[in-house]
Amino acid sequence: IERTEGNPFFMEETVQVLLDGGALVRDGAAVRLTKALGDLKIPPTVQAILAARIDRLPPPEKDLLQTLAVIGKEFQLNLVRAVVGTSPDELARMLDDLQLGEFIYEQPAVGDVEYTFKHALTQEVAYNSILSDRRKLLHERIGGAIETLYAASIDDHVVELAHHYRRAGNSAKAIDY
C-alpha cells in the first residue's frame, strides 16, 4: 500500500506517527502541530510508517508485538502466555499498551480473551522486522505451546501446527501434521 491522497489507512498511520513523535499534540478537543511543516519527516509508505512506529516501541513491547506477529493475525491470550515468558501482570500491561498504540485490538471470544492485529499490514511489517533465526525459534516455540495447550483437541490445530513447524524448519513435525 503506497501513499496516496485517498488512502485512509495511510492518513491514520501518519497522524499516529506524528502523535507518537510529539509533532502533533492533543489540546483538549483539538490537535495542534508543534513543529514547522518543513521539519516533519513523514515516511513515504504505510509500511515505512508502521516500521518507524514499531521501532519506537520500548524493547519489551516490540518483542511482544513481533512474537504476536509470528503467532498470527488473531491470537488467544492463553497461547500468548504459554509462548511469552512474562508475568501475567506485565503481559497484561504490555498488551494494554499495544492496544492503546492501536497495533492490536481485543475482541470477544468464547472461553478465552482473543486479540487481532488492527490491520494485516501491521502484522506483516512486525513479522518481517524479525531476524530469521529468531523467527524460526518463535515458530518452534509456538508449535510446542499449541501441542501442549491443545493436546486434547490436537486435530483442530493441525493446520496451525504444520504452518509453524514448516516455518521453524522442523520438516518432520510439519509433515506429521
Side-chain angles (χ1 to χ4, degrees):
I1 301 173
E2 295 300 315
R3 177 166 77 179
T4 62
E5 278 183 36
N7 185 335
F9 187 61
F10 176 80
M11 293 303 297
E12 186 177 337
E13 289 301 319
T14 300
V15 169
Q16 192 63 49
V17 81
L18 293 173
L19 285 167
D20 291 348
L24 281 179
V25 293
R26 287 183 168 85
D27 190 7
V31 176
R32 65 181 171 79
L33 198 57
T34 63
K35 297 180 181 179
L37 286 175
D39 294 339
L40 298 179
K41 292 179 176 71
I42 301 171
T45 65
V46 176
Q47 291 90 334
I49 288 172
L50 287 168
R53 289 190 61 220
I54 291 167
D55 283 344
R56 276 197 301 279
L57 287 170
E61 280 87 353
K62 181 179 177 181
D63 288 347
L64 176 59
L65 187 68
Q66 289 172 328
T67 300
L68 299 175
V70 176
I71 292 173
K73 171 113 172 71
E74 297 178 347
F75 42 92
Q76 293 187 325
L77 181 57
N78 65 349
L79 179 57
V80 175
R81 283 187 187 129
V83 173
V84 178
T86 306
S87 74
D89 289 342
E90 182 65 8
L91 179 60
R93 184 198 60 75
M94 289 192 298
L95 288 168
D96 286 346
D97 288 349
L98 292 175
Q99 285 184 84
L100 287 172
E102 297 191 16
F103 291 102
I104 62 171
Y105 290 127
E106 184 177 330
Q107 58 186 24
V110 177
D112 193 10
V113 176
E114 191 170 283
Y115 296 88
T116 186
F117 275 86
K118 175 183 176 181
H119 194 280
L121 192 56
T122 305
Q123 180 203 3
E124 179 184 318
V125 170
Y127 185 88
N128 289 332
S129 71
I130 307 168
L131 296 175
S132 63
D133 287 346
R134 180 170 175 250
R135 195 180 309 146
K136 285 181 178 184
L137 289 171
L138 286 169
H139 277 293
E140 185 77 30
R141 190 180 325 157
I142 293 162
I146 292 170
E147 286 177 320
T148 301
L149 283 173
Y150 305 112
S153 59
I154 203 78
D155 289 344
D156 295 338
H157 300 275
V158 294
V159 172
E160 293 169 83
L161 287 162
H163 165 78
H164 286 296
Y165 283 125
R166 182 180 63 80
R167 292 294 194 120
N170 188 336
S171 300
K173 280 197 169 191
I175 292 168
D176 278 349
Y177 287 112

